[in-house]
Amino acid sequence: PVGVYLLPSFDDIRLFHGVVFVRRGMFTNGVFKFELRCPLKYNDAGTHPTVKFTSYVYNPHVHPTTGEVDIKREYPRWDSNRHFLTTVLTYVKRIFYTREYQDEDDKYPNQEALKLYKTDLEGFRRRVAECVRESQKGVYLNENGSTIKFTKEEKVHEILRDLMKQRYGANDDKMNADDIARVVTREETLELIKQARSLSMARNSEE
């Protein structure tokens, strides 16, 4: 799904590291990192993957202490013919855009967040805004062993972004990173990275 990225672990074939970029709604601009683990016998019947956020997420669908997403609540019976990792990732994205929650459902892992949503929506929005800000502050705090790592922007990144905009006619108002990703091939990306590195080195030598 757009806005959700997943990479396998280098050390464990059943472990994946991911991140969700939220584009709209109450969680707008949140950058939430998570781990997805497949059980030993995945994808047999009943072998639910587990998803745990390493970023703090204030959401009825996410356990406030462990960060685990309520996958089993959404899919009580895991059917290997109908459910796949993309199914889980789509759900992980969807929980940030949900506007309604079932009444009297005691299976939501964060009951406090659920109650606040139903009784004090503005209070809920404040708590969500806090967790969004916290996620942004923790962007560059990379988990040990994670294959998804964030680094602060360097000159070469700015040059690469400008090259991509020039080649594909993009501008800030009409095309975002996800739009560009849909039309750029791997070969073109590698070519642009090479050009950006060369230009960056040339500019550094001139300074």
Side-chain angles (χ1 to χ4, degrees), residues 15-173:
L15 177 64
F16 298 82
H17 302 280
V19 62
V20 182
F21 294 94
V22 184
R23 308 296 192 191
R24 55 183 173 80
M26 280 191 270
F27 291 87
T28 296
N29 296 325
V31 183
F32 301 106
K33 304 174 190 177
F34 64 90
E35 292 182 350
L36 184 154
R37 178 172 288 281
C38 297
L40 186 63
K41 294 186 178 181
Y42 179 84
N43 190 25
D44 289 352
T47 55
H48 295 75
T50 58
V51 174
K52 291 185 179 181
F53 279 100
T54 54
S55 304
Y56 175 66
V57 178
Y58 187 78
N59 189 303
H61 294 282
V62 180
H63 194 283
T65 304
T66 66
E68 184 170 353
V69 181
D70 58 348
I71 301 298
K72 290 185 178 181
R73 177 192 166 279
E74 180 68 10
Y75 307 103
R77 299 184 63 181
W78 185 263
D79 184 344
S80 58
N81 294 316
R82 297 174 51 236
H83 301 144
F84 309 95
L85 291 187
T86 52
T87 309
V88 172
L89 296 178
T90 299
Y91 178 66
V92 167
K93 175 182 177 179
R94 194 168 73 238
I95 68 172
F96 292 104
Y97 299 94
T98 299
R99 295 183 179 181
E100 295 182 1
Y101 300 95
Q102 297 177 19
D103 292 332
E104 306 303 329
D105 190 342
D106 59 359
K107 293 184 180 179
Y108 283 97
N110 193 333
Q111 288 289 307
E112 189 271 338
L114 179 64
K115 181 179 179 180
L116 188 62
Y117 178 87
K118 292 184 175 182
T119 60
D120 182 3
L121 186 57
E122 287 307 309
F124 180 83
R125 290 179 185 275
R126 287 193 294 270
R127 293 293 300 275
V128 166
E130 289 172 6
C131 91
V132 168
R133 287 193 294 270
E134 188 172 330
S135 77
Q136 295 169 341
K137 291 178 181 178
V139 165
Y140 300 115
L141 300 176
N142 298 303
E143 297 288 326
N144 290 333
S146 176
T147 46
I148 290 186
K149 296 184 182 296
F150 291 85
T151 58
K152 294 183 178 180
E153 185 174 275
E154 298 178 5
K155 191 67 177 180
V156 66
H157 300 138
E158 180 182 340
I159 293 171
L160 176 61
R161 184 172 59 248
D162 290 341
L163 287 173
M164 294 186 79
K165 288 181 179 180
Q166 291 170 16
R167 174 168 294 193
Y168 301 102
N171 58 59
D172 290 337
D173 296 328

Side-chain angles (χ1 to χ4, degrees), residues 152-207:
K152 294 183 178 180
E153 185 174 275
E154 298 178 5
K155 191 67 177 180
V156 66
H157 300 138
E158 180 182 340
I159 293 171
L160 176 61
R161 184 172 59 248
D162 290 341
L163 287 173
M164 294 186 79
K165 288 181 179 180
Q166 291 170 16
R167 174 168 294 193
Y168 301 102
N171 58 59
D172 290 337
D173 296 328
K174 295 182 179 179
M175 185 177 285
N176 58 33
D178 292 326
D179 296 321
I180 293 174
R182 293 191 188 98
V183 297
V184 181
T185 65
R186 179 177 182 274
E187 290 72 19
E188 290 172 324
T189 301
L190 292 175
E191 177 191 342
L192 289 172
I193 291 173
K194 185 176 180 179
Q195 289 180 28
R197 285 174 174 169
S198 297
L199 286 170
S200 179
M201 292 176 64
R203 293 180 186 181
N204 288 336
S205 64
E206 293 173 358
E207 294 177 353

